[in-house]
Amino acid sequence: MSKKRHRESPNVDVQLVEIYEDLANEDEEIRLKAAQSLVSKLSPENVPTSEQVEKALNRLLRGLSSGRKAARLGFSIALTEILSQLLGPDRQGVPGLGIGIGRVLEILNTQTRPEGNVSGQEERDHHFGRLFGAEAIIKSMILFNSSESHKHWEQILDLIYELAEKKPWLREECGWIIYEAIQLLARQVFDPSYAQMVIDQLCSNRLAKTPDGISIWLSVQSSFPTVKLPKGVWHEEDPLHIKGKSALAKVLKEASESKKPQNGSEGSRQKGMWTSKLHFAWDIVLASFFERHSQLGLGHSNPPKRLNFVDFWFEIIDNNLFSASASEERKYWGFLLFSKVIREAPQHLIATVFSPNLMRSLLNQLALPERYLHRIAQKALRAVLVRVEAQPDTALIFVSGLMGSNGAINFDQATKTKTIEKLLSQASVTALRQITALFENFILQPGVVEEKGADSRRQLLADQLLCTVRSRRFEEVGLTREPDNTSWIEQIMFVFAKFGYFTFDLASNEPDKSPKPPFSKASQSLFRSRITSCLVHLISSPEGANFPYFVVSNIRMREGGLDVCQSLFQADANVRQSVNRAWKTLEKVHAKESRTKHDKRAYLQAFKLLYSLTILQVYNGDSDAVLVLDELKTCYDSLVKHSSANSDEASELLVEVLLSFVSKPSVLFRRLSEQVFTTFTTQINAAGLQAMLKVLETKESLAGQQEIFDQDDDIVDEDENDDISDVEEVNGNDTSDAATSDDNEEPESDGTGESSDNSDAGDDNDELAAFDAKLAEALGTRRADDGLNEENDGESSDEDMNDEEMEALDMHLENVFKERKKVMSKKVEKKDAKETIVNFKIRVLELLQIYVKQQHTNPLGINLLLPLLILIRTTTSKQVSEKACNVIREYARLCKGKALPITSDEHATWDLLRNAHKEAMRGGSHAHTNACSQSSLLLVKILVGLNEENIKDVIDVYANTRKQQFLDKRCKVQSALFSDWNNCPSFQRFSIPRIPARPRAWVLGDKLGISAFKDQAMTQLLAESASSSFFGVGGDIVEYVYTHTTATSKLRMPTADVVAHDFKTMQTSAAEYAEQFAQGGEFMTDLMGIVQTAFEQNYQGPLEKRGKYHETPKVE
C-alpha cells in the first residue's frame, strides 16, 4: 500500500484577501479605505516585485468582470491609482519591475475575454469589465508618456469602438468614456493627434451620426480647433449647422435611417433600446447653446451658420419630440429636456421653451391623472416652481409662458393644479408689477368671445390676483406715493377699480385697450366685490387706512381724466354734491394726517377709513351711504376738527353709524367697525352704550328685524300676531320677579333655542296637513288616511270632467299652490330674520368686548352687566350666549387689583348687585349662573374698593339669596354662586384664618399630655408633606404654633424649618410673615438659626430631619 502524500497548505496573504473583499463592499467609505491599503502595499517606497504587481493587476482586472456587490467600482478605483503610481507620468522608478503598458493591455484582453460556452449574463459582465478596465487605463494617463503611446491609444480606441459597434446597449457608456478622454487630453494639453485618431476611428466605425458621435465631435471641435474634421459627415463639418438641423433632430431622437447609406456615406446608427434617462449628448448640445448665448448676450446675434437656441428648440424639440405623431417615449424625453432647460438655461432663454406643441402636450398630460405622462409633467412644473423660488424675478417669464398664447389663461383650472397661484405667491415685487399688467391684458381680452366663458375666465384671473394679495405678509404690501413707482398692491386694486366702476368706449382708436367681449354687469360686480375682499385682508395692516383711500382717489382721478373708460356711477346732483363734499373733507384728513402728532393721528386715520369706505359704498350703489356721509361730517367736526359741546351727541351718532356698518353682512364693515370703535372707545358715552344694548334687547324674530330696521308697521303687526316665539315669552319674564312657572322657565335655561325648533316643527306639520286638505278639496279626492265609508267616493272618482270643469280645477289648484308658496316664503323670511338679528347681536357683543378691554376702568362699563345677564338667559342662540359670557368673563378678568372702575353712584352699584342676584334666582343654564357669579364678584370688588365696611352688606346680600334658595321654591339659584364667593381669594382676608387639622391635633395632644397622640399627628403631617409643600405654613399658622406651644415644642421645629426652606428656595416672601417679623420673639430666634445653618450646609429641606420631630425618636 502506497504511502499517502502530505499536501502542503498554500501561503495565503489573509490581509490581502480582506482588502480584495472590502473593495467589493457596497459602503463607499470601506471601498476607498481598502483601495488606499492596496495602493500603499504596492507603492514604490515598498519596492514591490514584478510578480506582486502582475498578480495584483490580474486580480484587479479579473475583478472588474465580477457582478458581485460594488466590485467594479472598488476595483476600478484601485486599478487607476496603482497604474498611475507605478506607470504614470509622475511615477517613481521601481527597480526590476519589468511591466509596461503593453503588458497591462494584454492582461486586460486576457482577463475580460469570455471563453467557452458562457451565459448571457457572464458575457455582459466581461464586456462591462473590459469597459471599466479601459476607463481606468485612460484615467491613469499611462498611455501618453511612452514612445509607443499612439499605438497603445489606438488599441484602447479599437477596444472601446468595438464594444460600441458590437453592443448597442453599451454605446452610450463607450461614448462617455471617449468624451471624458477628450476632456482629459484638452486639460493636459496633449498632442492634437490623439484627438485626430478619435475622430478618424469615430467615422470609420460609422458612429459619427449618433448622439455619442455628436458629443465627441463637438468636444474635439471646441477643444482642438486644429484637428482636421472629415468632410461629408455633417454640413460644413458642424453638427449644429443651421442647414443640418433635420439630420441633427433625427440623430438626437435616436431614430434609424429609413434608407441604407449610399456611396459609403455615414448613416445614423440606432442605439437599440429606449431608456427613461436622457443621453448625455443633450447636455453637451444644450451647454453649447447656453455658453454661446451667455457670451453673446441679448444684444448680439448668433454666428450666421449655426443654429440659435430658438430655432434649435422649435425644430429639434417642439417639432420632433412633441409633434402630434411623436411617441410617448419621445415626449417623455421632451419633458425631461424642458425641466433641464428650466433649471439651467440663462434667464433670457427660458421664454423660448413654452412652444406650441410642448404646451399642448403639457396641458393634455396634466388634465387627467391617468394620462401616461402625468407624473413627468408634474415634475416639469415642480422644476418651474423651484426656479422661481430661487430667482423670484423669473416669475413673469413663467406666468407669461404658461398663460400666454401657447398656454392657457385658465391654466390652473385646466390642469387642476395651483401652479399660477404658487408662482404669484413667490414672485418678486418687480415681477408682480409686470404680472399685474399682464393680467390686465388677459382680463381685457380673455381669449373667448362668448360672454359666459369670458366671465368665467375673468373671475378666475380676479381670484388669482386676490389670492396674491392674501398670500403676502403686511410688510410686503406697502404703499408708495411716487406716481412712477406704484406698488403692486395699488396696481391690483386699480385694475379692479378700473374694470368694476367704469365701462369702455368700444369705438376707441386703441383696440388693445378695448375689452373683447365687453364686460357684463356680473363681471363688473365681481371686480367691485374683489376690491372689498382685498380690503378685508389689508385693513388690519399698519397702512390699512391708505388702501381704501387710494382706491377712491384712483376712481376720482379716472372720472376727471381723459381715459377711454366712462364711469358707471350715475346719480342726481344732490348725491354728487354730497360725494364731492365728502371727498374734499377726505383730502383734508389725508393731508392733515402726515403733520399731526401721534395721539390724534389715530382719530384722523379712523375718519379716513370711514370716509373712504363710505364713498366706495356710494359708488357701489348703496343709497343709505349718502346719509352716512352727512353724519360723518357732523362726527368729524365735533370729535376731531374742533372739540365742541356737542361731542356727546357726536359720539352717540358715531355709534349709530358703526352699528349701521355692523348690521351689514360684510366682513369688511365688521372689521372697519371694530377698528374705528377701538380708536374711539374713550369717546363712547352712556347714550352710545345704550344704543348698543338696545340691539341686544331686540327680539330674535321677523318682528325684531322690522323693528330695529324701521320697516313697515303693518308687517310688524302681522308678524307679531303670527310669531309667538319663546323670545317673546322670555322678554315678558325679564321685568318680573322669580315668580315664573317651571314650564315657562325651562326653555330659557339652556339658551339653545330647542323649544323654538320644536314649535317650528309642529307648525310645519300643521301647515302640511292644511295644504293636503286644501289640495284634496280642490281635486275632489280624499287623503290617504281618511275613512273609506262614504258612498259616493267610487262614483265621483270615475266621473269624467269636461273642459270647463278642468279649467276651473286648474285655477283652483293654482290658488292652492300660491297660498302654499306664500306660507313657505314667510317661514324662510322668519328664519332669515332670526339669523340676521343673531348675527347683529354677535357683532355688537364683539364691540362690547373691545370696550371692556379698552375701558374696563370706566364706571360706565358696569351698566353692561345686567343687560348681558338677561341676554344670556333669554337668547335662543348658543353663539350669542357664549359671546355674552365671554364679555363678562373678560371684564371680570381685567378688573383686578387697582384696575377697578371707581363709580360715584354707590347706590346704583348696590342696585346692580341685588339685580344680579335676582337674575341668578331666575334660573338658567350653567353659563348663566357663572356669568351671574362673575358679575356679582366684580360688583363686590368695586363696592369693597370704595369702602371696606361694605363687606358686611355684601354678606347680607349673599345671605338673603341663600335664604331665598331654601325658603322659596321658585328660586332657582345654583350653588355655584355661593361656592365661587367662598373660594374667591380677594375676600379671604375678611374671613377667619383656617388652621390645618394636623397642627391643631398636635396641640390638642400636647395639652392632654399624650405623646403617642402627638406622634400620630406628626406622622400624618409628614405624610401629607410628601405630596405638597409641607402643611402650607403661613403667618397665621406660625402665630398659632408659637402661641400654643412652648419653646422646646417638637411642633416648632418643622414650622421654622419649612419657613427657612421656603426662604432659601425663593418660594415665599417676607411680606407673608411681616407681622411675625415685627413682633420678633422666639420665632425670629429659631428662624435665624435655621437659615444660617441652611445656607452654610447643603440643606435639602425639612423632610431630611423628619425623624427628629417625634416625641419618641424614629429611624426613617
Side-chain angles (χ1 to χ4, degrees):
M1 185 174 179
S2 62
K3 186 177 180 181
K4 190 174 181 180
R5 188 177 67 177
H6 177 70
R7 181 176 298 175
E8 296 182 0
S9 59
N11 185 16
V12 178
D13 189 342
V14 178
Q15 184 181 7
L16 198 58
V17 172
E18 292 178 352
I19 289 175
Y20 287 123
E21 181 66 25
D22 289 343
L23 283 176
N25 197 290
E26 294 178 344
D27 190 332
E28 183 181 8
E29 186 176 351
I30 295 176
R31 290 199 307 271
L32 294 176
K33 187 175 180 181
Q36 184 180 6
S37 300
L38 184 59
V39 171
S40 299
K41 272 183 169 293
L42 301 177
S43 64
E45 290 81 1
N46 294 330
V47 192
T49 64
S50 176
E51 181 182 358
Q52 290 176 327
V53 173
E54 186 163 345
K55 185 176 180 181
L57 292 178
N58 275 282
R59 182 67 183 88
L60 292 173
L61 287 169
R62 185 171 66 252
L64 293 176
S65 299
S66 172
R68 182 172 60 92
K69 297 182 180 179
R72 292 193 183 97
L73 295 176
F75 279 64
S76 63
I77 292 173
L79 178 62
T80 302
E81 294 299 323
I82 290 173
L83 290 176
S84 177
Q85 182 175 251
L86 298 177
L87 303 175
D90 301 327
R91 67 183 181 275
Q92 299 178 10
V94 179
L97 184 59
I99 296 177
I101 300 172
R103 179 56 182 160
V104 174
L105 294 176
E106 183 180 346
I107 296 174
L108 172 64
N109 285 320
T110 303
Q111 295 295 341
T112 59
R113 181 171 57 246
E115 296 179 352
N117 188 16
V118 297
S119 64
Q121 181 61 46
E122 290 179 347
E123 183 181 4
R124 284 192 293 272
D125 288 340
H126 280 83
H127 291 322
F128 273 117
R130 178 165 292 195
L131 195 60
F132 272 81
E135 182 182 21
I137 292 172
I138 293 173
K139 287 183 177 179
S140 66
M141 297 178 61
I142 65 175
L143 294 172
F144 311 107
N145 58 354
S146 67
S147 58
E148 297 182 338
S149 57
H150 285 81
K151 174 185 174 183
H152 298 147
W153 176 237
E154 185 177 7
Q155 290 177 352
I156 284 292
L157 290 178
D158 287 340
L159 184 148
I160 296 174
Y161 279 124
E162 180 185 359
L163 280 176
E165 179 79 13
K166 186 176 180 181
K167 301 296 179 183
W169 47 272
L170 271 178
R171 187 175 301 156
E172 183 175 350
E173 286 73 17
C174 295
W176 174 253
I177 291 174
I178 295 177
Y179 172 78
E180 286 288 302
I182 296 297
Q183 301 300 311
L184 179 64
L185 292 172
R187 288 196 298 270
Q188 300 298 327
V189 197
F190 284 127
D191 191 345
S193 59
Y194 295 107
Q196 185 69 57
M197 295 172 65
V198 171
I199 289 293
D200 292 342
Q201 289 214 28
L202 182 71
C203 295
S204 64
N205 286 281
R206 298 185 301 116
L207 295 174
K209 283 198 171 182
T210 61
D212 316 278
I214 291 176
S215 305
I216 296 169
W217 194 291
L218 291 175
S219 179
V220 171
Q221 189 180 42
S222 61
S223 302
F224 297 96
T226 59
V227 169
K228 185 178 180 181
L229 299 171
K231 295 185 178 182
V233 180
W234 295 103
H235 194 86
E236 295 189 10
E237 296 78 53
D238 187 2
L240 302 182
H241 195 280
I242 192 169
K243 292 185 178 181
K245 55 188 177 184
S246 298
L248 177 64
K250 186 173 293 185
V251 170
L252 285 177
K253 71 177 185 178
E254 301 186 27
S256 60
E257 290 281 0
S258 59
K259 296 181 181 180
K260 293 182 179 180
Q262 299 178 358
N263 302 325
S265 62
E266 289 285 337
S268 65
R269 305 292 297 275
Q270 194 172 8
K271 183 178 178 180
M273 61 181 297
W274 180 85
T275 63
S276 61
K277 177 184 171 184
L278 276 177
H279 197 285
F280 76 92
W282 289 105
D283 296 337
I284 311 304
V285 173
L286 289 175
S288 175
F289 284 113
F290 296 162
E291 182 180 1
R292 189 161 72 249
H293 277 274
S294 298
Q295 292 174 353
L296 294 174
L298 288 173
H300 298 77
S301 60
N302 286 302
K305 294 183 179 181
R306 265 207 166 186
L307 277 172
N308 58 32
F309 182 75
V310 177
D311 292 336
F312 166 79
W313 184 264
F314 275 86
E315 294 294 334
I316 311 300
I317 309 299
D318 198 60
N319 292 338
N320 279 280
L321 298 184
F322 287 107
S323 64
S325 60
S327 64
E328 301 292 345
E329 291 79 10
R330 298 291 183 262
K331 289 179 181 178
Y332 186 92
W333 280 352
F335 283 125
L336 290 179
L337 287 168
F338 174 76
S339 302
K340 184 174 184 61
V341 172
I342 292 300
R343 291 192 301 267
E344 301 175 6
Q347 188 169 328
H348 62 275
L349 293 180
I350 297 176
T352 305
V353 302
F354 296 97
S355 47
N357 291 332
L358 181 143
M359 290 304 301
R360 185 194 67 247
S361 298
L362 183 65
L363 289 167
N364 288 338
Q365 297 299 330
L366 289 171
L368 296 173
E370 57 267 18
R371 296 280 167 85
Y372 184 68
L373 301 177
H374 180 76
R375 295 181 65 183
I376 190 64
Q378 286 183 318
K379 288 184 179 179
L381 287 186
R382 283 197 288 271
V384 170
L385 296 174
V386 170
R387 179 70 182 264
V388 173
E389 186 177 0
Q391 298 178 352
D393 287 339
T394 60
L396 172 66
I397 301 172
F398 293 112
V399 171
S400 179
L402 295 175
M403 300 179 66
S405 57
N406 295 330
I409 290 179
N410 59 337
F411 184 86
D412 279 0
Q413 189 178 36
T415 60
K416 299 179 179 64
T417 64
K418 294 185 178 181
T419 305
I420 301 299
E421 183 179 330
K422 292 177 181 177
L423 290 176
L424 294 176
S425 66
Q426 294 175 352
S428 65
V429 173
T430 303
L432 277 175
R433 294 195 188 102
Q434 298 170 316
I435 291 173
T436 304
L438 179 67
F439 269 58
E440 184 176 358
N441 294 331
F442 287 155
I443 292 172
L444 281 171
Q445 300 177 2
V448 291
V449 295
E450 299 85 2
E451 182 179 290
K452 186 176 181 181
D455 288 351
S456 176
R457 290 196 175 186
R458 283 166 176 162
Q459 179 179 355
L460 179 65
L461 293 167
D463 290 342
Q464 286 175 335
L465 290 177
L466 174 61
C467 288
T468 306
V469 175
R470 288 175 172 173
S471 66
R472 299 299 173 121
R473 298 185 300 272
F474 286 141
E475 57 266 23
E476 298 178 2
V477 296
L479 291 170
T480 175
R481 294 172 175 79
E482 299 178 13
D484 296 333
N485 191 26
T486 306
S487 71
W488 65 271
I489 182 64
E490 289 179 80
Q491 197 172 350
I492 290 177
M493 301 286 283
F494 293 166
V495 168
F496 289 158
K498 179 180 178 180
F499 299 141
Y501 293 99
F502 296 90
T503 185
F504 292 80
D505 184 8
L506 299 180
S508 172
N509 295 327
E510 302 180 63
D512 293 340
K513 295 185 179 181
S514 299
K516 298 178 184 178
F519 287 96
S520 65
K521 291 184 178 180
S523 291
Q524 291 169 342
S525 176
L526 169 76
F527 287 113
R528 292 195 292 269
S529 69
R530 292 302 177 266
I531 291 178
T532 301
S533 300
C534 288
L535 292 177
V536 168
H537 175 73
L538 300 170
I539 197 172
S540 301
S541 66
E543 295 185 347
N546 288 329
F547 291 105
Y549 168 77
F550 276 95
V551 173
V552 175
S553 177
N554 182 260
I555 295 173
R556 299 283 299 181
M557 181 191 67
R558 287 186 181 277
E559 282 184 329
L562 300 176
D563 208 340
V564 296
C565 48
Q566 300 174 355
S567 176
L568 292 171
F569 179 59
Q570 303 294 331
D572 57 27
N574 292 331
V575 173
R576 285 197 172 275
Q577 185 178 2
S578 297
V579 173
N580 292 335
R581 187 166 53 247
W583 171 246
K584 290 181 181 178
T585 304
L586 178 57
E587 284 187 314
K588 292 178 181 177
V589 172
H590 176 66
K592 189 183 294 186
E593 177 191 358
S594 59
R595 59 177 185 269
T596 303
K597 294 182 179 180
H598 179 71
D599 53 347
K600 289 188 177 181
R601 187 178 300 170
Y603 290 167
L604 293 173
Q605 289 177 344
F607 274 104
K608 182 178 178 179
L609 199 57
L610 286 169
Y611 267 110
S612 300
L613 290 177
T614 306
I615 293 175
L616 204 58
Q617 280 298 99
V618 175
Y619 279 105
N620 287 338
D622 187 352
S623 57
D624 295 336
V626 180
L627 301 176
V628 174
L629 289 177
D630 297 332
E631 295 173 348
L632 287 179
K633 176 64 175 169
T634 303
C635 296
Y636 173 72
D637 290 341
S638 300
L639 296 175
V640 178
K641 191 173 183 180
H642 37 262
S643 300
S644 63
N646 298 324
S647 59
D648 290 342
E649 296 180 4
S651 174
E652 183 179 357
L653 184 59
L654 180 61
V655 171
E656 294 288 349
V657 170
L658 295 180
L659 289 177
S660 68
F661 287 152
V662 167
S663 65
K664 298 179 183 295
S666 169
V667 179
L668 174 63
F669 283 96
R670 177 171 64 87
R671 292 189 179 180
L672 164 69
S673 302
E674 292 175 355
Q675 194 163 327
V676 175
F677 188 82
T678 303
T679 303
F680 286 99
T681 49
T682 57
Q683 303 292 330
I684 304 301
N685 56 15
L689 291 177
Q690 188 58 40
M692 301 171 72
L693 294 175
K694 183 180 178 182
V695 176
L696 302 181
E697 296 169 359
T698 306
K699 300 176 183 178
E700 296 170 2
S701 63
L702 182 59
Q705 179 186 11
Q706 293 160 344
E707 176 186 355
I708 199 168
F709 293 111
D710 297 329
Q711 295 182 356
D712 189 77
D713 294 337
D714 295 336
I715 301 178
V716 174
D717 294 337
E718 179 186 350
D719 181 71
E720 288 177 349
N721 293 331
D722 292 341
D723 184 51
I724 305 177
S725 64
D726 293 340
V727 178
E728 189 171 0
E729 291 180 7
V730 169
N731 288 341
N733 294 331
D734 287 346
T735 57
S736 66
D737 295 331
T740 55
S741 65
D742 294 344
D743 295 337
N744 290 336
E745 286 290 333
E746 189 61 30
E748 298 171 4
S749 62
D750 54 8
T752 59
E754 292 181 0
S755 60
S756 176
D757 294 339
N758 294 333
S759 64
D760 289 344
D763 292 342
D764 288 343
N765 294 331
D766 294 340
E767 291 171 3
L768 184 60
F771 173 71
D772 289 342
K774 290 181 180 179
L775 187 60
E777 180 184 355
L779 295 174
T781 62
R782 59 175 176 268
R783 291 172 50 185
D785 56 352
D786 286 345
L788 302 176
N789 303 335
E790 299 185 10
E791 299 177 357
N792 298 328
D793 284 350
E795 298 177 2
S796 61
S797 61
D798 295 334
E799 293 178 354
D800 294 332
M801 303 178 68
N802 56 31
D803 293 342
E804 292 180 356
E805 291 174 336
M806 289 292 292
E807 185 176 353
L809 178 61
D810 289 341
M811 293 180 63
H812 198 19
L813 287 174
E814 184 179 353
N815 292 332
V816 170
F817 280 103
K818 281 184 178 179
E819 292 179 7
R820 173 63 175 170
K821 187 176 181 181
K822 285 183 180 179
V823 172
M824 295 304 297
S825 62
K826 193 70 174 177
K827 289 185 65 63
V828 173
E829 188 179 1
K830 291 177 181 179
K831 182 179 179 181
D832 292 343
K834 180 178 178 180
E835 291 180 356
T836 301
I837 296 299
V838 167
N839 289 331
F840 195 7
K841 288 184 177 182
I842 290 174
R843 302 295 173 252
V844 171
L845 288 170
E846 289 173 350
L847 295 182
L848 290 178
Q849 190 161 7
I850 294 174
Y851 181 82
V852 298
K853 285 182 179 179
Q854 301 289 329
Q855 295 292 309
H856 55 275
T857 58
N858 192 325
L860 291 177
I862 63 176
N863 296 320
L864 301 174
L865 294 174
L866 188 60
L868 289 175
L869 294 176
I870 296 174
L871 176 66
I872 294 170
R873 179 173 56 85
T874 58
T875 182
T876 59
S877 169
K878 186 176 181 180
Q879 285 182 306
V880 173
S881 176
E882 290 176 350
K883 281 285 184 181
C885 290
N886 290 339
V887 174
I888 293 179
R889 187 182 302 112
E890 185 71 10
Y891 195 11
R893 184 186 67 82
L894 294 171
C895 293
K896 57 185 178 180
K898 295 183 179 180
L900 286 172
I902 301 176
T903 177
S904 58
D905 192 351
E906 186 175 340
H907 179 72
T909 308
W910 280 108
D911 289 341
L912 282 175
L913 177 61
R914 295 186 184 96
N915 287 329
H917 279 248
K918 286 182 180 180
E919 187 62 31
M921 286 188 284
R922 292 176 182 270
S925 62
H926 293 296
H928 177 256
T929 300
N930 291 334
C932 290
S933 177
Q934 291 171 348
S935 302
S936 176
L937 293 175
L938 173 59
L939 293 170
V940 170
K941 288 180 184 179
I942 297 172
L943 290 169
V944 173
L946 294 175
N947 186 357
E948 288 194 357
E949 294 296 323
N950 287 336
I951 191 67
K952 300 177 181 178
D953 295 330
V954 168
I955 294 173
D956 290 339
V957 172
Y958 272 92
N960 182 61
T961 305
R962 190 70 162 176
K963 179 180 178 182
Q964 290 292 326
Q965 182 187 25
F966 286 113
L967 299 181
D968 192 346
K969 294 182 178 180
R970 294 170 298 179
C971 178
K972 297 184 178 182
V973 64
Q974 298 182 16
S975 58
L977 181 75
F978 306 104
S979 61
D980 291 346
W981 160 253
N982 291 332
N983 297 325
C984 182
S986 300
F987 309 113
Q988 293 296 328
R989 57 195 176 94
F990 296 107
S991 60
I992 300 174
R994 295 184 179 180
I995 307 302
R998 307 308 176 195
R1000 288 189 286 112
W1002 194 97
V1003 171
L1004 177 61
D1006 187 46
K1007 290 181 178 179
L1008 297 175
I1010 305 175
S1011 299
F1013 191 87
K1014 291 191 288 183
D1015 287 345
Q1016 180 66 24
M1018 182 62 70
T1019 300
Q1020 294 179 359
L1021 180 64
L1022 295 174
E1024 291 177 356
S1025 68
S1027 58
S1028 63
S1029 81
F1030 212 52
F1031 51 83
V1033 173
D1036 296 332
I1037 296 177
V1038 168
E1039 185 174 352
Y1040 175 83
V1041 170
Y1042 275 80
T1043 302
H1044 293 82
T1045 59
T1046 62
T1048 59
S1049 169
K1050 295 285 187 178
L1051 184 60
R1052 289 190 180 188
M1053 294 173 59
T1055 303
D1057 284 342
V1058 170
V1059 176
H1061 179 261
D1062 287 348
F1063 272 114
K1064 181 183 178 183
T1065 57
M1066 305 298 290
Q1067 295 181 12
T1068 188
S1069 62
E1072 190 169 355
Y1073 304 97
E1075 295 183 6
Q1076 287 71 31
F1077 290 162
Q1079 295 175 4
E1082 297 174 349
F1083 170 65
M1084 284 295 298
T1085 304
D1086 293 345
L1087 180 64
M1088 295 305 297
I1090 295 173
V1091 168
Q1092 183 176 0
T1093 304
F1095 280 93
E1096 289 176 355
Q1097 302 176 4
N1098 186 18
Y1099 180 56
Q1100 300 299 324
L1103 297 183
E1104 71 178 17
K1105 299 193 300 182
R1106 61 171 56 191
K1108 301 179 181 179
Y1109 298 147
H1110 290 78
E1111 298 296 322
T1112 302
K1114 293 186 177 183
V1115 179
E1116 298 289 342

